[in-house]
Amino acid sequence: MDGYKGFLGLLVSSLLVGFLSVIFTLIWVLHYREGLGWDGTALEFNWHPVLMVTGFVFIQGIAIIVYRLPWTWKCSKLLMKSIHAGLHTVAAILVIIALVSVFDFHNALSIPNMYSLHSWVGLTVVILYILQLLLGIFIFLLPWAPLSLRAFVMPMHVYSGLLIFGTVIAAVLMGVTEKLFFALSGYSKFPPEGVFTNTLGLLIVVYGALIFWIVTRPQWQRPKEPNSVLLQPNGGAQEGAGGLTVNFSNVDTPDSKLNHEASAKKRNFTADEVGQRSTM
Amino acid sequence: MDGYKGFLGLLVSSLLVGFLSVIFTLIWVLHYREGLGWDGTALEFNWHPVLMVTGFVFIQGIAIIVYRLPWTWKCSKLLMKSIHAGLHTVAAILVIIALVSVFDFHNALSIPNMYSLHSWVGLTVVILYILQLLLGIFIFLLPWAPLSLRAFVMPMHVYSGLLIFGTVIAAVLMGVTEKLFFALSGYSKFPPEGVFTNTLGLLIVVYGALIFWIVTRPQWQRPKEPNSVLLQPNGGAQEGAGGLTVNFSNVDTPDSKLNHEASAKKRNFTADEVGQRSTM
């Protein structure tokens, strides 16, 4: 692997910063806020930031870069796709519980739901995340989708995956802002809770930046399998070169139609366009 | 150009959504808030959202995609780089005035500065934006930087440009959230101002998503010049293929050393890695 030490340093940094974000969120709710519980009070609400930062930020980030780990390159593509989908599923479950906790809390205290910008952006991105997960499973993990469909959907899958991740971080930062303006009196006097929670916000931004760097370095892509087929959906005269390159869920077909399909498509598809590969 | 109609549709949509975001911000401060002025009151503060959305969101977004406009591909690279840098400079000036307005307002009313997460993330991203602009001008626009330095810096320039743009949008969303929780009584009762400003927030997210899509489509890259030289900084065995590809500020040298330099570098550099090109 090219630049292995650099990759390792960034991977360890991102895991550390991501883990620290989760710890900071726990300290926030346990030390500065009321703690955790499931009783319709603020204790139940507090699961919302804990589960969102754990699932929607930390675990989603790991799921995004999982194809980049060089020691997994010996594993089968199917196994890696299962791990990618599995981590996103775990994240989605935590996100749904996090949503239940805030709706429960609001309903118990007759606080209106869905009035803030945080809630609008947040719920939108939760729905998009679940759609992305289901579409991803049906098109890339299950065996029925033809190669051409996978090649067509892949650029959108990669784009929307990163867009969702970035929007989640924006939604979390809005959530932190909203909570502090709502619940912390004297925020403007630099109380320890304010400084601590602002630091949590910065940690989450740094985590996002590290994941975004790791996933856009072409030299850290999972290498092409020996029997791969290169695809391009529109035959454009592309140089296939970019400052940002993402290829973390390669196209493959699990069945024997591959070679036939591939040669039929090859006239119109080349690798430089979508960075997708077909592996048997 | 491959998919010209699609490009045009997305370009018009993004300009429309970006322009609408600016109009919405103006309506917000002129109709729902106190209006605009420069007197240390809320009227002066109101320049902050107007100039941030105009400069840091709308104009920055245009500056990012300016290399993608196919009717500019006949123009010289130097001209396009000047327009790219010029738009970012205009944005930076508006951003600095926007910062002055909020500090002036705070100081006039003895409101503390820099206590919120919005201000921490916002000021950090302003400093990074100005650094990015200065480094960009010194390395890519002015003629002294060697080809190898440009090739080395380009992936970071592209990455940090998009990271800054995304973080700006997050900071703006936090700013809107902060202002509404601060100044709008009865936000939770779905008042027209709350719904209107939430819609502004969504428009800004959609604008960011459109710019991000346009700039990561490899088929809409500015084509390589005929006398270009392909570069790769680390000789890695890359396929140069990705679901996300950005190449909007190609490496070039303005002087006659190019061919000599380029052939000297060619042993270690190929296009597939960084997507950078050298044009005379």
Side-chain angles (χ1 to χ4, degrees), chain A residues 115 159 209 218 238 240 243-244 246 273, chain B residues 159 209 218-219 238 240 243-244 246:
Chain A
Y115 65 86
Y159 162 81
Q238 284 311 311
L244 285 183
V246 179
E273 178 70 13
Chain B
Y159 162 81
Q219 67 271 30
Q238 282 312 310
L244 285 183
V246 178

Side-chain angles (χ1 to χ4, degrees), chain B residues 229-249:
Chain B
V229 177
L230 305 177
L231 301 170
Q232 174 172 341
N234 56 11
Q238 282 312 310
E239 302 83 36
L244 285 183
T245 306
V246 178
N247 185 353
F248 53 87
S249 181

Side-chain angles (χ1 to χ4, degrees), chain A residues 19-146:
Chain A
F19 187 67
L20 215 57
S21 304
V22 174
I23 298 297
F24 264 56
T25 314
L26 276 170
I27 293 174
W28 183 28
V29 303
L30 293 174
H31 177 65
Y32 290 107
R33 296 275 118 208
E34 309 77 7
L36 293 164
W38 200 269
D39 53 3
T41 69
L43 281 79
E44 185 170 340
F45 168 85
N46 287 345
W47 279 110
H48 183 73
V50 169
L51 295 177
M52 284 299 187
V53 173
T54 308
F56 227 4
V57 178
F58 187 44
I59 296 175
Q60 188 186 179
I62 296 170
I64 285 172
I65 58 163
V66 83
Y67 293 106
R68 303 253 150 182
L69 308 174
W71 47 90
T72 70
W73 292 350
K74 285 174 290 183
C75 304
S76 79
K77 200 64 209 304
L78 186 66
L79 175 66
M80 291 317 296
K81 290 202 283 185
S82 306
I83 293 173
H84 179 70
L87 285 168
H88 280 304
T89 305
V90 170
I93 292 168
L94 297 185
V95 165
I96 289 167
I97 301 172
L99 274 192
V100 171
S101 81
V102 71
F103 278 95
D104 251 20
F105 164 69
H106 281 174
N107 295 342
L109 271 76
S110 300
I111 298 169
N113 290 300
M114 299 302 304
Y115 65 86
S116 73
L117 180 56
H118 164 71
S119 67
W120 286 27
V121 173
L123 192 64
T124 305
V125 87
V126 169
I127 292 167
L128 290 176
Y129 188 63
I130 291 168
L131 279 176
Q132 165 94 343
L133 180 62
L134 294 177
L135 272 173
I137 289 171
F138 280 111
I139 293 173
F140 298 110
L141 192 63
L142 298 183
W144 68 267

Side-chain angles (χ1 to χ4, degrees), chain B residues 65-106:
Chain B
I65 59 163
V66 83
Y67 293 106
R68 304 253 150 181
L69 308 175
W71 48 88
T72 70
W73 292 350
K74 285 173 290 183
C75 305
S76 79
K77 200 64 209 303
L78 187 65
L79 174 66
M80 291 316 297
K81 290 201 283 185
S82 305
I83 294 173
H84 179 70
L87 285 169
H88 279 304
T89 305
V90 170
I93 292 166
L94 297 185
V95 164
I96 289 166
I97 302 171
L99 274 192
V100 171
S101 81
V102 71
F103 278 96
D104 251 19
F105 165 69
H106 281 174

Side-chain angles (χ1 to χ4, degrees), chain A residues 236-258:
Chain A
Q238 284 311 311
E239 302 83 36
L244 285 183
T245 305
V246 179
N247 185 351
F248 51 89
S249 180
N250 300 331
V251 175
D252 64 15
T253 58
D255 56 44
S256 59
K257 286 188 300 174
L258 173 70

Side-chain angles (χ1 to χ4, degrees), chain B residues 37 39 108 128 221-222:
Chain B
D39 54 1
L128 290 176
Q221 277 174 214
R222 181 183 163 98

Side-chain angles (χ1 to χ4, degrees), chain B residues 42-262:
Chain B
L43 280 80
E44 184 169 340
F45 169 85
N46 287 345
W47 280 110
H48 183 73
V50 170
L51 295 176
M52 284 299 186
V53 173
T54 308
F56 227 3
V57 178
F58 187 44
I59 297 176
Q60 187 185 180
I62 296 170
I64 285 172
I65 59 163
V66 83
Y67 293 106
R68 304 253 150 181
L69 308 175
W71 48 88
T72 70
W73 292 350
K74 285 173 290 183
C75 305
S76 79
K77 200 64 209 303
L78 187 65
L79 174 66
M80 291 316 297
K81 290 201 283 185
S82 305
I83 294 173
H84 179 70
L87 285 169
H88 279 304
T89 305
V90 170
I93 292 166
L94 297 185
V95 164
I96 289 166
I97 302 171
L99 274 192
V100 171
S101 81
V102 71
F103 278 96
D104 251 19
F105 165 69
H106 281 174
N107 294 342
L109 272 77
S110 302
I111 298 169
N113 289 301
M114 298 302 304
Y115 65 86
S116 73
L117 180 55
H118 163 69
S119 65
W120 286 28
V121 173
L123 191 63
T124 305
V125 87
V126 170
I127 292 167
L128 290 176
Y129 188 61
I130 291 168
L131 279 175
Q132 166 94 343
L133 179 62
L134 294 177
L135 272 173
I137 289 171
F138 279 110
I139 293 173
F140 298 110
L141 193 62
L142 299 183
W144 69 267
L147 191 59
S148 56
L149 179 66
R150 292 182 175 187
F152 178 74
V153 174
M154 177 55 74
M156 282 169 262
H157 181 77
V158 169
Y159 162 81
S160 53
L162 284 193
L163 184 69
I164 286 170
F165 184 61
T167 311
V168 163
I169 289 178
V172 167
L173 297 179
M174 272 191 283
V176 169
T177 298
E178 184 173 315
K179 180 70 184 176
L180 289 177
F181 273 90
F182 211 74
L184 178 61
S185 61
Y187 187 19
S188 69
K189 288 172 189 136
F190 294 87
E193 181 181 347
V195 174
F196 183 84
T197 320
N198 287 357
T199 309
L200 163 64
L202 290 188
L203 281 174
I204 290 169
V205 173
V206 172
Y207 179 68
L210 288 168
I211 295 292
F212 188 44
W213 176 263
I214 290 172
V215 88
T216 52
R217 290 317 92 196
Q219 67 271 30
W220 295 337
Q221 277 174 214
R222 181 183 163 98
K224 203 161 41 174
E225 330 278 293
N227 53 359
S228 65
V229 177
L230 305 177
L231 301 170
Q232 174 172 341
N234 56 11
Q238 282 312 310
E239 302 83 36
L244 285 183
T245 306
V246 178
N247 185 353
F248 53 87
S249 181
N250 300 330
V251 175
D252 63 16
T253 59
D255 56 44
S256 59
K257 286 189 302 176
L258 174 71
N259 284 332
H260 174 70
E261 271 200 51

